Coordinates of all heavy atoms in Angstrom, one line a residue:
M984 N -76.9 -7.6 -38.9 CA -76.5 -8.3 -40.0 C -77.2 -9.6 -40.2 O -77.6 -10.2 -39.2 CB -75.0 -8.6 -39.8 CG -74.4 -9.4 -40.9 SD -72.6 -9.5 -40.7 CE -72.3 -11.3 -40.6
K985 N -77.6 -9.8 -41.4 CA -78.5 -11.1 -41.8 C -77.5 -12.3 -41.8 O -76.2 -12.2 -42.3 CB -79.0 -10.9 -43.1 CG -80.1 -9.8 -43.1 CD -80.7 -9.5 -44.4 CE -81.7 -8.6 -44.3 NZ -82.3 -8.4 -45.6
I986 N -77.9 -13.5 -41.6 CA -77.2 -14.8 -41.6 C -77.9 -15.6 -42.5 O -79.2 -15.7 -42.4 CB -77.1 -15.4 -40.2 CG1 -76.2 -14.4 -39.4 CG2 -76.4 -16.7 -40.4 CD1 -76.1 -15.0 -37.9
Y987 N -77.2 -16.1 -43.6 CA -78.0 -16.8 -44.5 C -77.5 -18.3 -44.4 O -76.5 -18.6 -44.0 CB -77.4 -16.4 -46.0 CG -77.9 -15.1 -46.3 CD1 -77.0 -14.0 -46.4 CD2 -79.2 -14.8 -46.6 CE1 -77.3 -12.7 -46.6 CE2 -79.6 -13.5 -47.0 CZ -78.7 -12.4 -46.9 OH -79.1 -11.2 -47.2
K988 N -78.6 -19.1 -44.6 CA -78.5 -20.7 -44.4 C -77.9 -21.2 -45.7 O -77.9 -20.5 -46.7 CB -79.8 -21.1 -44.1 CG -80.3 -20.7 -42.9 CD -81.6 -21.4 -42.7 CE -82.3 -21.0 -41.2 NZ -83.7 -21.5 -41.0
P989 N -77.2 -22.4 -45.6 CA -76.5 -22.9 -46.8 C -77.5 -23.4 -47.9 O -76.8 -23.7 -49.0 CB -75.9 -24.2 -46.3 CG -76.2 -24.3 -44.7 CD -77.1 -23.1 -44.5
E990 N -78.8 -23.2 -47.9 CA -79.5 -23.6 -49.0 C -79.6 -22.6 -50.1 O -80.1 -22.7 -51.2 CB -81.1 -23.9 -48.6 CG -81.8 -22.6 -48.2 CD -82.1 -22.4 -46.7 OE1 -81.7 -23.2 -46.0 OE2 -83.0 -21.6 -46.3
W991 N -78.8 -21.5 -50.0 CA -78.7 -20.5 -51.0 C -77.6 -21.1 -52.1 O -76.6 -21.8 -51.8 CB -78.2 -19.2 -50.4 CG -79.0 -18.5 -49.5 CD1 -79.1 -18.9 -48.2 CD2 -80.0 -17.5 -49.8 NE1 -80.1 -18.1 -47.5 CE2 -80.8 -17.3 -48.5 CE3 -80.4 -16.9 -50.9 CZ2 -81.7 -16.3 -48.5 CZ3 -81.2 -16.0 -50.8 CH2 -82.1 -15.7 -49.5
Q992 N -77.9 -20.7 -53.3 CA -77.0 -21.1 -54.3 C -76.6 -19.9 -55.1 O -77.4 -19.0 -55.4 CB -77.7 -22.1 -55.3 CG -76.8 -22.6 -56.4 CD -77.5 -23.7 -57.2 OE1 -78.6 -24.0 -57.0 NE2 -76.7 -24.1 -58.2
C993 N -75.3 -19.7 -55.2 CA -74.7 -18.6 -55.8 C -73.7 -18.9 -56.9 O -72.9 -19.8 -56.7 CB -74.0 -17.7 -54.8 SG -73.5 -16.1 -55.3
T994 N -73.9 -18.3 -58.1 CA -73.0 -18.5 -59.3 C -72.3 -17.2 -59.6 O -73.1 -16.1 -59.8 CB -73.8 -19.0 -60.5 OG1 -74.5 -20.1 -60.1 CG2 -72.9 -19.4 -61.6
F995 N -71.1 -17.2 -59.7 CA -70.2 -15.9 -60.0 C -69.6 -16.1 -61.3 O -69.1 -17.2 -61.7 CB -69.2 -15.7 -59.0 CG -69.6 -15.1 -57.7 CD1 -69.7 -16.0 -56.7 CD2 -70.0 -13.8 -57.6 CE1 -70.0 -15.4 -55.3 CE2 -70.3 -13.2 -56.4 CZ -70.4 -14.1 -55.3
S996 N -69.6 -15.1 -62.2 CA -69.0 -15.0 -63.5 C -68.2 -13.9 -63.4 O -68.7 -12.8 -63.1 CB -70.0 -15.0 -64.6 OG -70.8 -16.2 -64.6
V997 N -66.8 -13.8 -63.6 CA -65.9 -12.8 -63.5 C -65.3 -12.6 -64.8 O -64.9 -13.6 -65.5 CB -64.8 -13.0 -62.4 CG1 -64.0 -11.9 -62.3 CG2 -65.5 -13.3 -61.1
Y998 N -65.3 -11.4 -65.3 CA -64.8 -10.9 -66.5 C -63.7 -9.8 -66.3 O -63.9 -8.9 -65.6 CB -65.8 -10.4 -67.5 CG -67.0 -11.3 -67.7 CD1 -68.3 -11.2 -67.0 CD2 -66.9 -12.3 -68.6 CE1 -69.2 -12.2 -67.1 CE2 -67.9 -13.3 -68.9 CZ -69.2 -13.1 -68.1 OH -70.2 -14.0 -68.3
E999 N -62.7 -9.9 -67.1 CA -61.6 -8.9 -66.8 C -61.4 -8.2 -68.1 O -60.6 -7.4 -68.3 CB -60.2 -9.7 -66.6 CG -60.2 -10.2 -65.2 CD -58.8 -10.7 -64.9 OE1 -58.0 -9.9 -64.6 OE2 -58.5 -11.8 -65.2
G1000 N -62.5 -8.2 -69.1 CA -62.4 -7.4 -70.3 C -63.8 -7.6 -71.1 O -64.7 -8.3 -70.5
V1001 N -63.9 -7.1 -72.2 CA -65.1 -7.0 -72.9 C -65.4 -8.3 -73.5 O -64.4 -9.0 -73.9 CB -65.1 -5.9 -73.9 CG1 -64.1 -6.2 -75.1 CG2 -66.5 -5.6 -74.4
E1002 N -66.7 -8.8 -73.5 CA -67.1 -10.1 -74.1 C -67.2 -9.8 -75.6 O -67.5 -8.7 -76.2 CB -68.3 -10.5 -73.5 CG -68.3 -10.8 -72.0 CD -69.6 -11.1 -71.4 OE1 -70.4 -12.0 -72.0 OE2 -70.1 -10.6 -70.5
E1003 N -67.2 -10.9 -76.4 CA -67.2 -10.9 -77.9 C -68.5 -10.3 -78.3 O -68.6 -9.6 -79.3 CB -67.0 -12.2 -78.4 CG -65.5 -12.8 -78.3 CD -65.3 -14.0 -78.9 OE1 -66.0 -14.3 -79.8 OE2 -64.3 -14.7 -78.5
A1004 N -69.6 -10.6 -77.6 CA -70.9 -10.4 -78.1 C -71.4 -9.0 -77.3 O -72.6 -8.6 -77.4 CB -71.9 -11.4 -77.7
S1005 N -70.6 -8.2 -77.0 CA -70.9 -6.9 -76.3 C -71.3 -5.8 -77.3 O -70.8 -5.8 -78.3 CB -69.7 -6.3 -75.4 OG -69.4 -7.3 -74.5
S1006 N -72.1 -4.8 -76.8 CA -72.4 -3.8 -77.6 C -71.4 -2.6 -77.7 O -70.4 -2.8 -76.9 CB -73.7 -3.1 -77.0 OG -73.3 -2.4 -75.8
W1007 N -71.5 -1.7 -78.6 CA -70.3 -0.7 -78.8 C -70.3 0.0 -77.4 O -69.2 0.6 -77.2 CB -70.6 0.1 -80.0 CG -71.9 1.0 -79.9 CD1 -73.2 0.6 -80.3 CD2 -72.0 2.3 -79.3 NE1 -74.0 1.6 -80.0 CE2 -73.5 2.6 -79.5 CE3 -71.2 3.2 -78.8 CZ2 -73.8 3.8 -79.0 CZ3 -71.6 4.4 -78.4 CH2 -72.9 4.7 -78.5
K1008 N -71.3 0.2 -76.6 CA -71.3 1.1 -75.4 C -70.5 0.3 -74.4 O -69.7 1.0 -73.7 CB -72.7 1.4 -74.9 CG -73.7 2.2 -75.7 CD -75.0 2.4 -75.0 CE -75.9 3.3 -75.9 NZ -77.1 3.4 -75.3
E1009 N -70.6 -1.0 -74.3 CA -69.8 -1.8 -73.4 C -68.3 -1.8 -73.8 O -67.6 -1.7 -73.0 CB -70.5 -3.3 -73.4 CG -71.7 -3.4 -72.6 CD -72.2 -4.7 -72.6 OE1 -71.8 -5.4 -71.6 OE2 -73.0 -5.1 -73.4
R1010 N -68.1 -1.8 -75.1 CA -66.7 -1.8 -75.6 C -66.0 -0.5 -75.2 O -64.9 -0.5 -74.8 CB -66.6 -2.1 -77.0 CG -67.0 -3.5 -77.5 CD -66.9 -3.6 -79.0 NE -67.5 -4.9 -79.3 CZ -66.9 -6.1 -79.2 NH1 -65.7 -6.1 -78.8 NH2 -67.5 -7.2 -79.6
I1011 N -66.8 0.5 -75.4 CA -66.2 1.9 -75.0 C -66.0 2.0 -73.6 O -64.9 2.4 -72.9 CB -67.2 3.1 -75.5 CG1 -67.0 3.1 -77.1 CG2 -66.6 4.4 -74.9 CD1 -68.0 4.1 -77.6
A1012 N -66.9 1.5 -72.8 CA -66.7 1.5 -71.2 C -65.5 0.6 -70.8 O -64.6 1.1 -69.9 CB -68.0 0.9 -70.8
W1013 N -65.3 -0.4 -71.4 CA -64.1 -1.2 -71.0 C -62.8 -0.6 -71.5 O -61.8 -0.5 -70.6 CB -64.2 -2.7 -71.6 CG -65.1 -3.6 -70.7 CD1 -66.3 -4.1 -70.9 CD2 -64.6 -4.1 -69.5 NE1 -66.7 -4.9 -69.9 CE2 -65.7 -5.0 -68.9 CE3 -63.4 -4.0 -68.8 CZ2 -65.6 -5.6 -67.8 CZ3 -63.3 -4.7 -67.5 CH2 -64.4 -5.5 -67.0
R1014 N -62.9 0.0 -72.6 CA -61.6 0.9 -73.0 C -61.3 2.0 -72.0 O -60.2 2.2 -71.7 CB -61.9 1.5 -74.3 CG -62.1 0.5 -75.5 CD -60.8 0.5 -76.2 NE -61.1 -0.4 -77.4 CZ -60.4 -1.4 -77.9 NH1 -59.2 -1.5 -77.3 NH2 -60.7 -2.1 -78.9
L1015 N -62.3 2.6 -71.5 CA -62.1 3.6 -70.5 C -61.6 3.0 -69.2 O -60.8 3.6 -68.4 CB -63.4 4.4 -70.2 CG -63.8 5.4 -71.4 CD1 -65.3 5.9 -71.1 CD2 -62.9 6.4 -71.6
R1016 N -62.1 2.0 -68.8 CA -61.7 1.3 -67.6 C -60.3 0.9 -67.7 O -59.5 1.0 -66.8 CB -62.6 0.0 -67.3 CG -64.0 0.3 -66.9 CD -64.7 -1.0 -66.6 NE -66.1 -0.7 -66.3 CZ -67.2 -0.9 -67.1 NH1 -67.0 -1.6 -68.3 NH2 -68.4 -0.5 -66.7
Q1017 N -59.8 0.3 -68.8 CA -58.4 -0.1 -69.0 C -57.5 1.2 -68.9 O -56.5 1.0 -68.3 CB -58.3 -0.7 -70.5 CG -58.8 -2.1 -70.5 CD -58.9 -2.7 -72.0 OE1 -58.6 -1.9 -72.8 NE2 -59.2 -4.0 -72.0
L1018 N -58.0 2.4 -69.6 CA -57.2 3.5 -69.4 C -57.1 4.0 -68.1 O -56.1 4.4 -67.7 CB -57.9 4.6 -70.2 CG -57.2 6.0 -70.1 CD1 -55.8 5.9 -70.8 CD2 -58.0 7.0 -71.0
A1019 N -58.2 4.0 -67.2 CA -58.2 4.3 -65.8 C -57.2 3.3 -65.0 O -56.4 3.8 -64.1 CB -59.5 4.3 -65.1
D1020 N -57.3 2.1 -65.2 CA -56.3 1.1 -64.7 C -54.9 1.5 -64.9 O -54.1 1.4 -64.1 CB -56.6 -0.3 -65.2 CG -57.8 -0.9 -64.5 OD1 -58.4 -0.2 -63.5 OD2 -58.3 -2.0 -65.0
K1021 N -54.5 1.9 -66.2 CA -53.3 2.2 -66.6 C -52.8 3.5 -65.8 O -51.6 3.7 -65.3 CB -53.0 2.6 -68.1 CG -53.1 1.2 -68.8 CD -52.9 1.4 -70.3 CE -53.0 0.1 -70.9 NZ -52.9 0.4 -72.5
L1022 N -53.6 4.5 -65.7 CA -53.5 5.8 -65.0 C -53.2 5.6 -63.5 O -52.4 6.1 -62.9 CB -54.5 6.8 -65.3 CG -54.6 7.3 -66.8 CD1 -55.8 8.2 -66.9 CD2 -53.4 8.1 -67.2
D1023 N -54.0 4.8 -63.0 CA -54.0 4.5 -61.5 C -52.8 3.5 -61.1 O -52.2 3.9 -60.2 CB -55.3 3.8 -61.1 CG -55.4 3.5 -59.7 OD1 -54.8 4.5 -58.8 OD2 -56.0 2.5 -59.2
G1024 N -52.6 2.6 -62.0 CA -51.4 1.9 -61.7 C -51.5 0.8 -60.7 O -50.6 -0.2 -60.7
S1025 N -52.5 0.9 -60.0 CA -52.4 -0.1 -58.7 C -53.8 -0.8 -58.7 O -53.9 -1.7 -57.8 CB -52.2 0.7 -57.4 OG -53.4 1.6 -57.2
G1026 N -54.6 -0.5 -59.7 CA -56.0 -1.2 -59.6 C -56.0 -2.3 -60.7 O -55.3 -2.5 -61.6
R1027 N -57.2 -2.9 -60.7 CA -57.6 -3.9 -61.7 C -59.2 -3.9 -61.7 O -59.8 -4.0 -60.7 CB -57.1 -5.3 -61.1 CG -57.3 -6.3 -62.1 CD -56.5 -7.5 -61.7 NE -56.9 -8.8 -62.3 CZ -56.5 -9.9 -62.0 NH1 -55.8 -9.9 -61.0 NH2 -56.9 -10.9 -62.7
T1028 N -59.7 -3.8 -62.9 CA -61.1 -3.7 -63.1 C -61.7 -5.1 -63.5 O -61.1 -5.7 -64.3 CB -61.4 -2.7 -64.2 OG1 -61.0 -1.3 -63.9 CG2 -63.0 -2.6 -64.5
I1029 N -62.6 -5.4 -62.8 CA -63.3 -6.7 -63.1 C -64.8 -6.5 -63.1 O -65.4 -5.6 -62.5 CB -63.0 -7.9 -62.2 CG1 -63.3 -7.6 -60.8 CG2 -61.5 -8.2 -62.3 CD1 -63.2 -8.7 -59.9
K1030 N -65.6 -7.2 -63.9 CA -67.0 -7.3 -63.9 C -67.5 -8.6 -63.2 O -67.1 -9.7 -63.6 CB -67.7 -7.1 -65.3 CG -69.0 -7.3 -65.3 CD -69.5 -7.2 -66.7 CE -71.0 -7.4 -66.8 NZ -71.5 -7.4 -68.2
I1031 N -68.4 -8.5 -62.2 CA -68.8 -9.7 -61.5 C -70.4 -9.8 -61.8 O -71.1 -8.9 -61.5 CB -68.7 -9.6 -60.0 CG1 -67.1 -9.6 -59.7 CG2 -69.2 -11.0 -59.3 CD1 -66.8 -9.4 -58.3
D1032 N -70.8 -10.9 -62.5 CA -72.1 -11.1 -62.6 C -72.5 -12.2 -61.5 O -71.9 -13.3 -61.4 CB -72.5 -11.8 -64.0 CG -72.4 -10.8 -65.1 OD1 -72.7 -9.6 -64.8 OD2 -72.1 -11.1 -66.1
C1033 N -73.4 -11.9 -60.7 CA -73.8 -12.8 -59.6 C -75.2 -13.2 -59.7 O -76.1 -12.3 -59.8 CB -73.7 -12.0 -58.2 SG -73.8 -12.9 -56.8
S1034 N -75.6 -14.5 -59.7 CA -76.9 -15.0 -59.7 C -77.1 -15.8 -58.4 O -76.4 -16.8 -58.2 CB -77.1 -16.0 -60.9 OG -78.3 -16.6 -60.9
V1035 N -78.0 -15.4 -57.6 CA -78.4 -15.9 -56.3 C -79.8 -16.5 -56.3 O -80.7 -15.8 -56.6 CB -78.0 -15.0 -55.2 CG1 -78.3 -15.6 -53.7 CG2 -76.6 -14.4 -55.1
T1036 N -79.9 -17.7 -55.8 CA -81.3 -18.2 -55.7 C -81.4 -18.8 -54.2 O -80.7 -19.5 -53.7 CB -81.3 -19.5 -56.6 OG1 -81.1 -19.0 -57.9 CG2 -82.8 -20.0 -56.7
P1037 N -82.6 -18.4 -53.6 CA -83.6 -17.4 -53.8 C -82.9 -16.0 -53.9 O -81.8 -15.8 -53.5 CB -84.5 -17.6 -52.9 CG -83.8 -18.3 -51.7 CD -82.7 -19.1 -52.3
H1038 N -83.7 -15.0 -54.3 CA -83.3 -13.6 -54.5 C -82.7 -13.0 -53.2 O -83.3 -13.2 -52.2 CB -84.4 -12.8 -55.0 CG -84.1 -11.3 -55.1 ND1 -83.2 -10.9 -56.3 CD2 -84.4 -10.3 -54.5 CE1 -83.0 -9.7 -56.0 NE2 -83.7 -9.2 -55.2
V1039 N -81.6 -12.3 -53.4 CA -80.9 -11.5 -52.3 C -80.8 -10.1 -52.9 O -80.4 -9.9 -54.0 CB -79.5 -12.2 -51.9 CG1 -78.8 -11.2 -50.9 CG2 -79.6 -13.6 -51.5
S1040 N -80.9 -9.0 -52.0 CA -80.9 -7.7 -52.5 C -79.4 -7.4 -53.0 O -78.5 -8.0 -52.5 CB -81.2 -6.8 -51.4 OG -80.2 -6.7 -50.4
R1041 N -79.3 -6.5 -53.9 CA -78.0 -6.1 -54.3 C -77.1 -5.6 -53.1 O -75.9 -5.8 -53.1 CB -78.2 -5.0 -55.4 CG -76.8 -4.6 -55.9 CD -77.1 -3.6 -57.1 NE -75.7 -3.1 -57.6 CZ -75.4 -3.4 -59.0 NH1 -76.2 -3.8 -59.8 NH2 -74.2 -3.0 -59.3
Q1042 N -77.7 -4.8 -52.3 CA -77.0 -4.3 -51.1 C -76.4 -5.5 -50.4 O -75.2 -5.3 -49.9 CB -77.8 -3.4 -50.2 CG -77.1 -2.8 -49.0 CD -78.2 -2.0 -48.2 OE1 -79.3 -1.9 -48.6 NE2 -77.6 -1.4 -47.2
D1043 N -77.1 -6.5 -50.1 CA -76.7 -7.6 -49.3 C -75.6 -8.3 -50.1 O -74.6 -8.7 -49.3 CB -77.9 -8.6 -48.9 CG -78.7 -8.1 -47.9 OD1 -78.4 -7.2 -47.2 OD2 -79.8 -8.6 -47.9
I1044 N -75.7 -8.4 -51.4 CA -74.6 -9.0 -52.2 C -73.3 -8.1 -52.1 O -72.3 -8.8 -51.9 CB -75.0 -9.2 -53.6 CG1 -76.0 -10.2 -53.7 CG2 -73.9 -9.7 -54.5 CD1 -76.7 -10.4 -55.2
D1045 N -73.4 -6.9 -52.2 CA -72.3 -6.0 -52.1 C -71.5 -6.1 -50.6 O -70.4 -6.1 -50.6 CB -72.8 -4.5 -52.4 CG -73.1 -4.4 -53.7 OD1 -72.7 -5.2 -54.7 OD2 -73.8 -3.3 -54.1
T1046 N -72.4 -6.2 -49.6 CA -71.9 -6.5 -48.3 C -71.1 -7.7 -48.1 O -70.0 -7.6 -47.7 CB -73.1 -6.3 -47.2 OG1 -73.8 -5.2 -47.4 CG2 -72.5 -6.6 -45.8
C1047 N -71.7 -8.9 -48.7 CA -71.0 -10.1 -48.7 C -69.6 -10.0 -49.4 O -68.6 -10.6 -49.0 CB -71.8 -11.2 -49.2 SG -73.2 -11.7 -48.2
L1048 N -69.7 -9.5 -50.6 CA -68.4 -9.3 -51.4 C -67.4 -8.6 -50.7 O -66.1 -8.9 -50.7 CB -68.8 -8.8 -52.8 CG -69.5 -9.6 -53.8 CD1 -69.9 -8.9 -55.0 CD2 -68.6 -10.9 -54.1
G1049 N -67.9 -7.4 -50.1 CA -66.9 -6.5 -49.3 C -66.2 -7.2 -48.2 O -65.2 -6.9 -47.8
K1050 N -67.0 -8.2 -47.6 CA -66.5 -8.8 -46.5 C -65.8 -10.2 -46.8 O -65.4 -10.9 -45.9 CB -67.6 -9.2 -45.6 CG -68.2 -7.9 -44.8 CD -69.1 -8.3 -43.8 CE -69.5 -6.9 -43.2 NZ -70.4 -7.2 -42.0
G1051 N -65.6 -10.4 -48.1 CA -64.7 -11.7 -48.5 C -65.6 -12.8 -48.6 O -65.2 -13.9 -48.5
F1052 N -67.0 -12.7 -49.1 CA -67.9 -13.7 -49.3 C -67.2 -14.7 -50.2 O -67.0 -15.9 -50.1 CB -69.2 -13.3 -49.6 CG -70.1 -14.2 -50.0 CD1 -70.6 -15.2 -49.1 CD2 -70.6 -14.6 -51.2 CE1 -71.6 -16.2 -49.3 CE2 -71.4 -15.6 -51.7 CZ -71.9 -16.4 -50.7

């Protein structure tokens, strides 16, 4: 497991729905996610935009998020 030093800077943006400037494809995708959330009944769909400086691999970001980073 990698250990990162505090000089990393990370910015998270969390969205619970479609943004106003989204394309028609994104709007359809969010409608499908909302339908899936209703059918599942126990979940919640969010979108996380993560910007990390310096660059960290997507796999490492996913690992950190999964462990409660």
Side-chain angles (χ1 to χ4, degrees):
M984 182 168 116
K985 295 180 182 179
I986 298 175
Y987 296 104
K988 296 180 182 178
E990 69 249 12
W991 295 86
Q992 184 172 358
C993 184
T994 303
F995 286 104
S996 298
V997 179
Y998 303 96
E999 292 189 85
V1001 67
E1002 298 176 51
E1003 290 182 24
S1005 298
S1006 69
W1007 64 271
K1008 291 179 183 179
E1009 288 180 85
R1010 291 181 187 279
I1011 290 173
W1013 274 104
R1014 297 252 187 223
L1015 291 173
R1016 290 181 187 111
Q1017 289 172 347
L1018 177 62
D1020 286 346
K1021 287 180 184 176
L1022 292 174
D1023 183 32
S1025 64
R1027 186 169 163 186
T1028 300
I1029 60 172
K1030 176 182 174 187
I1031 300 174
D1032 289 332
C1033 182
S1034 174
V1035 180
T1036 306
H1038 178 74
V1039 176
S1040 73
R1041 183 177 180 124
Q1042 182 180 2
D1043 288 338
I1044 291 172
D1045 291 345
T1046 300
C1047 288
L1048 288 171
K1050 292 185 176 188
F1052 176 70

